[in-house]
Amino acid sequence: GNDAGFETGTATKTRPKTKRPNLYRVLLLNDDYTPMEFVVLVLQDVFNKSREDAMRIMLHVHQKGVGECGVYPYEVAETKVTRVMDTARKNQHPLQCVMEKQ
Ligand code: TYC
């Protein structure tokens, strides 16, 4: 379509597509061995949470099994997951962090 009201060779969408970023939820998973303090420090360091928010999220994960650390564009989410997994492995904790499309 076009403004002049006749059709030319290129089809265009009637509904304008607005550009939303593809967002990903980063989740922390509970386990029986990772120290609570380690999880709190990870939430402060990697996800820039306050001590209070980090405590709240850690306890939520501890009690419910899984919890959200934040929502980010793909590359940011991926970098955060990698940072968590690298620091957990380095400290020999089984902490797991995953991302899922929102
Ligand atoms: N469940 C762990 C403990 O009792 C603490 C913990 C919380 C571990 C959150 C992982 O994502 C996690 N030490």
Side-chain angles (χ1 to χ4, degrees):
N2 60 39
D3 291 341
F6 55 87
E7 296 308 312
T8 54
T10 308
T12 53
K13 293 236 162 71
T14 304
R15 178 165 48 84
K17 200 162 188 184
T18 51
K19 245 207 167 134
R20 279 178 317 168
N22 288 314
L23 294 177
Y24 289 77
R25 190 178 289 122
V26 177
L27 305 171
L28 218 46
L29 308 184
N30 188 38
D31 66 73
D32 292 338
Y33 305 103
T34 305
M36 289 184 173
E37 179 61 18
F38 183 83
V39 178
V40 171
L41 291 175
V42 163
L43 285 162
Q44 290 186 95
D45 277 16
V46 177
F47 298 96
N48 309 311
K49 302 298 183 186
S50 66
R51 182 82 190 168
E52 293 71 29
D53 281 357
M55 280 288 307
R56 185 181 50 72
I57 294 167
M58 182 281 294
L59 285 174
H60 175 94
V61 176
H62 176 69
Q63 287 160 8
K64 311 270 183 182
V66 61
E68 185 179 296
C69 307
V71 177
Y72 311 94
Y74 185 88
E75 283 195 23
V76 177
E78 191 179 52
T79 301
K80 290 183 187 299
V81 169
T82 301
R83 282 184 66 191
V84 173
M85 297 303 282
D86 284 357
T87 190
R89 172 173 261 275
K90 193 183 74 185
N91 290 278
Q92 298 179 296
H93 297 312
L95 183 63
Q96 293 289 116
C97 185
V98 298
M99 60 195 268
E100 64 171 35
K101 200 164 193 294
Q102 204 187 23

